[in-house]
C-alpha cells in the first residue's frame, strides 16, 4: 500500500529552503526557487528565457531604488510578475517601465506596493504559505504542483502556470482554502485539454534518457 508524506511534514520540507534563504534582500528573483521543477510544461528554451528575464529585470532597477526597496521578479512563460515594496510612486513607475522594455516579455503584471519593505517575519510567513499551498496541491492528487508557480506577498497568493480548465479550478480552490492566504490572484494560462496533452507529451519526450551505450564483450 502506497504511503504519502503527511501534509504538515511536506509543508515543512518545502518551506525549509525558502526559510533558510530569508535574509534581508533588496531585489530577489523567482529563479531562486527551483524546488519542484522536475516536470515543466514550458520548453527548456522558455525556462531559460524566464530565468534570464528575471535577472535582467533585476539588473535594470536603479541603485537608488534598490537601496530602499524589496522587489521580486517572477517570470513564467514570458509573463513577468513584479511584486514587493517600493518607497514611492516614482520608483514604482520606473521599475515597471524598465521591465516593459525587456525583449521577449509578453505581459507585465505590476503588483508592487508603495510602503516600507516587508519585515523578515512577514517574508518568512509568506514563504511558509507558499509551501503549504504547494503541499496541498500535492496532497490533492488532482494536479501536479510542478505545473503551478506559487508566489505569496503579504498573504496575497499569486498563481502562474500552464493548465487546463479543471486544473485551474483545483489550483484556485486549494490556494483560497489554505490557512493564511488573504486573497488569490489568478494569473494562470488556461489552455484547451488537447494543447495541455501535447505539452505534456513534449515535456516527457524531451526528458527521456538516451539509450545506454553498450560496452564490447570479450569471450575467453
Amino acid at each position: 500500500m502506497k504511503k504519502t508524506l503527511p501534509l504538515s511534514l511536506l509543508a515543512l520540507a518545502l518551506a525549509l529552503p525558502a526559510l533558510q534563504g530569508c535574509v534581508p534582500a533588496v531585489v530577489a528573483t523567482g529563479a531562486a526557487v527551483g524546488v519542484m521543477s522536475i516536470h515543466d510544461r514550458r520548453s527548456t528554451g522558455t525556462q531559460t528565457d524566464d530565468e534570464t528575464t528575471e535577472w535582467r529585470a533585476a539588473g535594470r532597477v536603479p541603485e537608488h531604488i534598490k537601496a530602499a526597496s524589496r522587489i521580486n521578479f517572477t517570470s513564467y512563460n514570458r509573463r513577468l510578475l513584479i511584486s514587493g515594496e517600493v518607497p514611492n510612486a516614482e520608483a514604482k513607475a520606473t521599475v515597471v517601465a524598465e521591465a516593459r522594455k525587456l525583449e521577449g516579455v509578453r505581459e507585465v503584471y505590476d503588483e508592487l506596493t508603495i510602503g516600507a519593505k516587508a519585515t523578515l517575519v512577514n517574508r518568512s510567513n509568506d514563504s511558509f504559505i507558499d509551501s503549504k499551498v504547494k503541499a496541498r496541491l500535492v496532497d490533492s492528487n488532482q494536479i501536479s504542483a510542478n505545473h503551478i508557480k506559487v508566489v505569496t506577498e503579504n498573504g496575497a497568493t499569486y498563481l502562474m502556470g500552464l493548465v487546463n480548465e479543471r486544473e485551474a479550478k483545483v489550483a484556485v480552490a486549494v490556494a483560497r482554502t489554505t490557512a493564511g492566504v488573504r486573497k488569490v490572484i489568478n494569473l494562470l494560462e488556461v489552455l484547451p485539454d488537447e494543447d495541455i496533452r501535447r505539452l505534456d507529451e513534449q515535456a516527457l519526450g524531451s526528458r527521456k534518457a538516451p539509450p545506454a551505450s553498450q560496452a564490447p564483450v570479450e569471450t575467453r
Side-chain angles (χ1 to χ4, degrees), residues 33-55:
V33 184
V35 177
M36 302 183 72
S37 59
I38 299 172
H39 178 200
D40 199 311
R41 284 171 174 162
R42 295 172 296 172
S43 68
T44 302
T46 300
Q47 292 180 58
T48 300
D49 288 344
D50 284 337
E51 293 180 3
T52 301
T53 293
E54 290 172 351
W55 65 257

Side-chain angles (χ1 to χ4, degrees), residues 12 16 38 46 62 65 70 80 82 84 101 107-108 112 117 128 151 153 158 182 184 192 194-195 211:
L12 180 59
L16 285 176
I38 299 172
T46 300
I65 294 179
R70 185 191 66 89
L80 182 63
I82 313 175
K101 296 177 185 178
E107 198 162 1
V108 174
L112 287 170
K117 291 187 283 187
F128 190 52
V151 179
E153 293 281 2
Y158 299 83
R182 292 190 301 106
V184 176
E194 56 268 26
D195 289 349

Side-chain angles (χ1 to χ4, degrees), residues 113-130:
T113 59
I114 298 173
K117 291 187 283 187
T119 65
L120 178 59
V121 171
N122 286 340
R123 297 201 302 273
S124 298
N125 184 61
D126 286 340
S127 295
F128 190 52
I129 290 174
D130 283 348

Side-chain angles (χ1 to χ4, degrees), residues 145-216:
N146 301 325
H147 298 154
I148 306 292
K149 173 84 78 174
V150 181
V151 179
T152 301
E153 293 281 2
N154 194 28
T157 295
Y158 299 83
L159 302 177
M160 305 179 79
L162 293 168
V163 296
N164 60 27
E165 187 173 353
R166 180 192 62 79
E167 291 171 330
K169 290 179 179 178
V170 171
V172 169
V174 166
R176 72 184 304 193
T177 56
T178 298
V181 174
R182 292 190 301 106
K183 65 177 178 179
V184 176
I185 298 86
N186 183 1
L187 302 180
L188 295 166
E189 289 187 77
V190 180
L191 302 178
D193 290 344
E194 56 268 26
D195 289 349
I196 290 297
R197 282 193 295 269
R198 176 178 53 81
L199 290 175
D200 285 341
E201 290 171 358
Q202 290 176 350
L204 290 172
S206 66
R207 287 160 177 78
K208 286 183 179 178
S213 58
Q214 297 185 10

Side-chain angles (χ1 to χ4, degrees), residues 18-112:
L19 293 176
Q20 289 170 353
C22 282
V23 294
V26 176
V27 178
T29 67
V33 184
V35 177
M36 302 183 72
S37 59
I38 299 172
H39 178 200
D40 199 311
R41 284 171 174 162
R42 295 172 296 172
S43 68
T44 302
T46 300
Q47 292 180 58
T48 300
D49 288 344
D50 284 337
E51 293 180 3
T52 301
T53 293
E54 290 172 351
W55 65 257
R56 287 178 60 204
R60 282 179 172 265
V61 178
E63 291 299 326
H64 71 281
I65 294 179
K66 286 183 181 181
S69 306
R70 185 191 66 89
I71 307 171
N72 294 310
F73 296 98
T74 307
S75 182
Y76 194 96
N77 202 34
R78 299 187 175 93
R79 302 162 82 212
L80 182 63
L81 167 65
I82 313 175
S83 57
E85 303 85 32
V86 290
N88 50 55
E90 182 180 359
K92 176 182 169 79
T94 298
V95 171
V96 175
E98 288 299 316
R100 293 189 190 282
K101 296 177 185 178
L102 291 170
E103 184 179 355
V105 175
R106 295 191 294 123
E107 198 162 1
V108 174
Y109 299 103
D110 171 21
E111 293 293 329
L112 287 170

